[in-house]
Amino acid sequence: MTTSFVKDVFRNAAGSPIRELKKYSERPGMISLAGGYPSNELMDAQGLQKVLQSFSHSEFSAALQYGGTEGLPALRAELAKLSHTKGLQVKADDLVVLSGSQQGIDLIARTLISPGDVVLVQAPTYPAALSAFRLAGATIHQLANDAQGICFDQLEATLQTLKPKLIYTVPTFANPSGKTLSKAHRLALLKLAVKYQCVVLEDDPYSDLWFDTPPPAPIFAMRHQVDGGENVCVYLSSLSKTLAPALRLGWILGPNDIRRACVLAKQSDDMQASTLTQTAAAAYLASGQFHKNLPKLRDFYALRAHTLASEINITMQGKITLTAPQGGMFIWCNAPGIDSSMWLQVAIKHNVMFVPGAAFFAHDPDASAFRLSFASQNLAGLHTGVQRLSQSLDEFSA
Amino acid sequence: MTTSFVKDVFRNAAGSPIRELKKYSERPGMISLAGGYPSNELMDAQGLQKVLQSFSHSEFSAALQYGGTEGLPALRAELAKLSHTKGLQVKADDLVVLSGSQQGIDLIARTLISPGDVVLVQAPTYPAALSAFRLAGATIHQLANDAQGICFDQLEATLQTLKPKLIYTVPTFANPSGKTLSKAHRLALLKLAVKYQCVVLEDDPYSDLWFDTPPPAPIFAMRHQVDGGENVCVYLSSLSKTLAPALRLGWILGPNDIRRACVLAKQSDDMQASTLTQTAAAAYLASGQFHKNLPKLRDFYALRAHTLASEINITMQGKITLTAPQGGMFIWCNAPGIDSSMWLQVAIKHNVMFVPGAAFFAHDPDASAFRLSFASQNLAGLHTGVQRLSQSLDEFSA
């Protein structure tokens, strides 16, 4: 009997609860409200395929070669322009292309966090961020939560006592809560981070998916409003939710030394994002089609969010509470008195799925909470999904 | 003045010496014999572009979505078949798709190596492997070198004394030495690794690029010949050298617990390799075109290797020593009495580049050594490149 060569932290780690659910989502007839997958119908497959066809032989051939770790210059220029639309005045050289924004969380965890360092997160928060911080050996502390997403009354005391190295936040249409930090709270958070010398890692994959009104500008856009703000702000965004996750493209903004550390870590990891998907994304963004497609995406997701929320409010009245989101892909729900992970077992038999709440907490999970995504189902799917949720909950509660 | 938030190991790390040279390689007129880049002319751009065009709307649309961390089932099946041609009897489920085989070195370093663990490497060896082990906090020890690539007289004593966690080896057409371990030495290495409970990380990106005769089967193929061998063998390979680096696709084989740890680490890193490039590679491999293209690739690289070696032997006789390789992409050379990193400064002015030897050593570098790649230059480029090497060396030595 050989002892495993694997380090304890990896031998004992659980897989992503969402990725582990994927096998059920592939069952015929399953309506999955679990994963945060963009709708297949809403991705511009035709447009992207056309872009790849449009390349000349020499262009396509160049797109098959190695490229720099920082990213393709043409894509960096397009992502800088896209950042402008989010209120971020940055140049191509200020950003590094990532193989998805998840990689940015991992690179930041690897380059900044030593075992025992404290990382603050919202509760609930994004499970794969928890995983990246855990694998880096962080001690994770959940910030107390209020209607705004962070309870500021307790934040300063926490910073003073725990001296965290980093705060991880999804300030806009948060995964999973759907909440958005106000402009005033963003500035307050930044001031406290500077005062207590704590990096603010701002994860922003959803801000383009607003329903009625655009969200406040990112915290990163405020970095010059506070002395020393530019030293603590790191920003991540992604093309996965608005263009296509399969491209594996995101980007990071931040202080030079942190960006440089991420480039070094990335050189040793996957060397670079795919030159081919970078070339395709750069051409697609340059064509203007991305920005033409966004309003359609927003309308569709708004309609789906509204439909899912109102179907639940009508069909499951008194059994489920929820707050309708203003953007993003998720509705955070509560089934008072119910353990949602046990309910899920019954729901799966009814061919409907969600993500139980426990996955979104570093500790002290709210067992009655659960996350629904409205993104990948059409209206008929959402309707049937809610019928099945309701029936399975009745069966589970009986 | 703010102290950097970046961990020391990243703040003090040098970038990849080869990637740092890239800026010179983009100068007009430069003949780069530095990077191990496959030849643009030899990649089947037309074939890959056709494959992407051939997808129906629903196929292309599916290729834009998230997929499993382990990799696309269709690609895993094709990579298992490709592994068979290398003498590896494995099934699709036995392998995990990586975003390039470099990622496998990093994942293994992250999941197995704790700070202070000893890693054994050949000398010279692949710089980005050194970097991955350094970032994981390993103590790197160079194995003594002989004509075969590893000095077996000293290996057992080293294993006994240093108790390394891992041996990293490129046993076939090694980067940078070009050397290949014999079948007998592969088995001897495996036996010693089992005896001293040390993981053998076998990095095999070049074995398909043989010139006259196929190389011995991988060490991984021998794992059942030694009791307990299957617990210590980990194997990496890549499509970067034989299909296209821009796809960012490689794969890993190894014991279940190690593969599982790599999947967990990858979930937290880039989640998955690009579904789009995986779908394209699977279709291309299934078309049979990959295997039709290989003999052409081998002939071209053999001709280029032979041309570069003989041009040097003729033009720089008595100044440069080298061993002609039997496969791969590199010729490892020596300029006795010369510091190759200082010579490089002069060479760059003559519009020719190579990689100075120091980068390939963990310690005690051989300053007179340097690496040439013949892969990305055609015969005229190799001829002119050698003329410039010769002129610049004469100028430097004058």
Side-chain angles (χ1 to χ4, degrees):
Chain A
M1 153 83 212
T2 316
T3 315
S4 172
F5 291 101
V6 176
K7 284 159 73 172
D8 289 347
V9 66
F10 287 96
R11 201 157 66 236
N12 304 330
S16 150
I18 297 164
R19 298 216 136 218
E20 304 290 325
L21 285 176
K22 203 170 181 298
K23 58 177 178 287
Y24 298 110
S25 73
E26 283 152 7
R27 282 195 193 170
M30 176 63 77
I31 293 180
S32 177
L33 306 169
Y37 290 13
S39 169
N40 266 28
E41 311 141 60
L42 298 185
M43 290 193 276
D44 184 9
Q46 205 180 5
L48 276 164
Q49 197 172 16
K50 260 195 195 153
V51 156
L52 285 161
Q53 282 170 11
S54 74
F55 294 135
S56 69
H57 178 75
S58 70
E59 285 168 335
F60 195 86
S61 182
L64 294 180
Q65 192 51 276
Y66 285 110
T69 301
E70 291 83 353
L72 201 72
L75 180 61
R76 294 171 86 189
E78 289 298 330
L79 293 177
K81 281 193 231 164
L82 179 54
S83 301
H84 297 171
T85 68
K86 297 172 187 275
L88 298 166
Q89 298 311 317
V90 294
K91 300 184 304 293
D93 286 350
D94 296 335
L95 63 87
V96 172
V97 177
L98 304 173
S99 307
S101 59
Q102 170 69 35
Q103 189 177 50
I105 305 174
D106 203 50
L107 291 174
I108 288 294
R110 293 175 73 180
T111 56
L112 303 192
I113 303 299
S114 300
D117 281 347
V118 175
V119 170
L120 298 187
V121 298
Q122 290 169 280
T125 192
Y126 171 49
L130 291 177
S131 165
F133 297 131
R134 278 195 197 111
L135 294 179
T139 301
I140 302 174
H141 181 85
Q142 285 177 185
L143 288 170
N145 197 359
D146 64 10
Q148 284 271 356
I150 294 177
C151 176
F152 275 80
D153 289 347
Q154 296 183 26
L155 178 59
E156 182 152 13
T158 305
L159 289 166
Q160 239 168 349
T161 323
L162 297 182
K163 298 185 178 34
K165 189 85 182 266
L166 187 142
I167 302 181
Y168 171 76
T169 177
V170 185
T172 308
F173 313 136
N175 176 6
S177 73
K179 287 179 184 171
T180 296
L181 276 185
S182 69
K183 196 174 160 183
H185 278 122
R186 286 168 197 240
L187 190 60
L189 182 62
L190 176 56
K191 283 180 177 167
L192 286 172
V194 171
K195 184 172 174 188
Y196 293 98
Q197 284 299 295
C198 170
V199 171
V200 177
L201 178 57
E202 178 179 23
D203 189 7
D204 186 35
Y206 306 112
S207 62
D208 272 330
L209 301 177
W210 48 267
F211 300 158
D212 295 318
T213 41
I219 301 169
F220 194 82
M222 300 172 159
R223 68 196 181 286
H224 299 303
Q225 291 177 36
V226 182
D227 249 7
E230 66 279 9
N231 297 323
V232 300
C233 286
V234 179
Y235 174 90
L236 299 173
S237 194
S238 172
L239 296 177
S240 293
K241 310 303 183 185
T242 47
L243 184 51
L247 303 174
R248 306 309 304 129
L249 293 173
W251 68 102
I252 186 168
L253 296 165
N256 290 341
D257 62 336
I258 293 181
R259 238 167 48 229
R260 169 80 184 157
C262 290
V263 167
L264 289 175
K266 188 169 164 62
Q267 267 181 7
S268 169
D269 175 0
D270 63 358
M271 287 186 162
Q272 57 162 109
S274 161
T275 319
L276 183 61
T277 67
Q278 287 186 79
T279 305
Y284 187 81
L285 287 166
S287 77
Q289 202 52 46
F290 178 85
H291 291 283
K292 276 191 205 146
N293 205 37
L294 269 184
K296 193 178 83 181
L297 225 57
R298 288 178 189 134
D299 287 351
F300 265 92
Y301 284 137
L303 180 60
R304 289 178 180 195
H306 177 75
T307 303
L308 180 58
S310 47
E311 294 257 4
I312 290 174
N313 284 334
I314 293 164
T315 312
M316 303 180 80
Q317 208 185 355
K319 296 173 190 164
I320 303 284
T321 61
L322 61 82
T323 313
Q326 301 304 308
M329 293 191 156
F330 305 108
I331 303 184
W332 184 239
C333 305
N334 242 281
I338 296 293
D339 181 326
S340 66
S341 60
M342 296 183 68
W343 169 28
L344 175 65
Q345 302 314 314
V346 179
I348 286 172
K349 285 185 213 151
H350 285 258
N351 265 342
V352 67
M353 280 169 63
F354 53 81
V355 187
F360 302 92
F361 294 86
H363 46 80
D364 304 309
D366 178 355
S368 63
F370 62 100
R371 188 191 78 177
L372 299 178
S373 173
F374 47 81
S376 55
Q377 296 294 330
N378 62 22
L379 300 190
L382 293 172
H383 175 79
T384 309
V386 172
Q387 299 301 314
R388 292 179 186 173
L389 283 178
S390 180
Q391 286 153 11
S392 67
L393 184 58
D394 288 346
E395 185 183 316
F396 178 69
S397 311
Chain B
M1 150 89 210
T2 315
T3 316
S4 173
F5 292 101
V6 176
K7 284 159 75 173
D8 289 346
V9 65
F10 287 95
R11 201 157 65 238
N12 303 331
S16 151
I18 296 165
R19 297 217 137 218
E20 304 290 324
L21 285 175
K22 202 169 182 299
K23 56 176 178 287
Y24 298 110
S25 73
E26 284 152 7
R27 282 195 194 169
M30 176 62 77
I31 293 181
S32 176
L33 305 170
Y37 290 12
S39 168
N40 266 27
E41 311 141 59
L42 297 185
M43 289 193 276
D44 184 8
Q46 204 179 7
L48 276 165
Q49 197 171 16
K50 262 194 194 155
V51 156
L52 284 161
Q53 281 170 10
S54 74
F55 293 136
S56 69
H57 178 75
S58 69
E59 284 168 337
F60 195 86
S61 181
L64 294 180
Q65 192 52 274
Y66 285 111
T69 302
E70 290 83 353
L72 201 72
L75 180 60
R76 293 170 86 188
E78 288 299 330
L79 293 178
K81 280 193 231 164
L82 179 54
S83 301
H84 297 170
T85 68
K86 296 172 189 274
L88 298 166
Q89 298 310 316
V90 294
K91 300 183 304 293
D93 286 350
D94 295 336
L95 62 86
V96 172
V97 176
L98 303 173
S99 307
S101 59
Q102 171 67 36
Q103 189 178 48
I105 304 174
D106 204 50
L107 291 174
I108 288 294
R110 293 176 73 181
T111 56
L112 304 192
I113 304 300
S114 300
D117 281 347
V118 175
V119 170
L120 298 187
V121 299
Q122 290 169 280
T125 192
Y126 171 49
L130 291 176
S131 165
F133 298 132
R134 276 194 198 112
L135 294 178
T139 301
I140 302 175
H141 181 84
Q142 284 177 187
L143 289 170
N145 197 0
D146 64 10
Q148 283 271 355
I150 293 178
C151 176
F152 275 80
D153 289 347
Q154 294 183 27
L155 177 59
E156 183 154 10
T158 306
L159 289 165
Q160 240 169 347
T161 323
L162 297 182
K163 298 183 178 38
K165 190 84 182 268
L166 186 143
I167 302 180
Y168 172 76
T169 177
V170 185
T172 307
F173 313 136
N175 176 5
S177 73
K179 288 178 185 173
T180 295
L181 275 186
S182 69
K183 194 174 162 183
H185 276 124
R186 286 169 196 239
L187 190 60
L189 182 63
L190 176 57
K191 282 180 178 165
L192 285 171
V194 170
K195 183 171 173 189
Y196 294 97
Q197 284 299 295
C198 171
V199 171
V200 177
L201 178 57
E202 177 179 24
D203 190 7
D204 186 35
Y206 306 111
S207 62
D208 273 329
L209 301 177
W210 49 268
F211 298 158
D212 294 320
T213 41
I219 301 169
F220 194 83
M222 300 172 158
R223 69 197 179 285
H224 298 303
Q225 290 176 37
V226 182
D227 250 7
E230 66 278 10
N231 298 322
V232 301
C233 285
V234 179
Y235 174 89
L236 299 172
S237 193
S238 173
L239 296 177
S240 292
K241 309 304 182 184
T242 47
L243 183 52
L247 303 175
R248 306 310 304 129
L249 294 173
W251 68 102
I252 187 169
L253 296 165
N256 289 341
D257 63 335
I258 293 181
R259 238 167 47 229
R260 169 80 183 157
C262 289
V263 167
L264 289 175
K266 188 169 165 60
Q267 267 181 6
S268 169
D269 175 0
D270 64 357
M271 287 185 161
Q272 57 162 111
S274 161
T275 318
L276 183 60
T277 66
Q278 287 187 79
T279 305
Y284 187 81
L285 287 166
S287 76
Q289 202 53 46
F290 179 85
H291 291 283
K292 274 191 206 145
N293 205 36
L294 269 183
K296 194 178 83 181
L297 225 58
R298 288 177 187 135
D299 286 351
F300 265 91
Y301 284 137
L303 179 61
R304 289 178 181 194
H306 177 75
T307 303
L308 181 57
S310 48
E311 293 259 3
I312 289 174
N313 284 333
I314 294 163
T315 312
M316 304 180 80
Q317 209 184 355
K319 296 173 190 164
I320 303 284
T321 61
L322 60 83
T323 314
Q326 300 305 308
M329 294 191 155
F330 306 107
I331 304 184
W332 184 239
C333 305
N334 242 281
I338 296 292
D339 181 327
S340 65
S341 60
M342 297 182 68
W343 168 27
L344 176 64
Q345 302 313 314
V346 180
I348 286 172
K349 285 184 214 150
H350 284 258
N351 263 344
V352 67
M353 281 169 63
F354 52 82
V355 186
F360 302 92
F361 295 86
H363 47 81
D364 304 309
D366 177 354
S368 63
F370 61 100
R371 188 191 78 177
L372 299 178
S373 173
F374 47 80
S376 55
Q377 297 293 331
N378 61 23
L379 301 189
L382 293 172
H383 176 79
T384 310
V386 173
Q387 300 301 315
R388 293 180 186 173
L389 282 178
S390 180
Q391 288 153 10
S392 66
L393 184 58
D394 288 347
E395 185 183 316
F396 178 69
S397 311

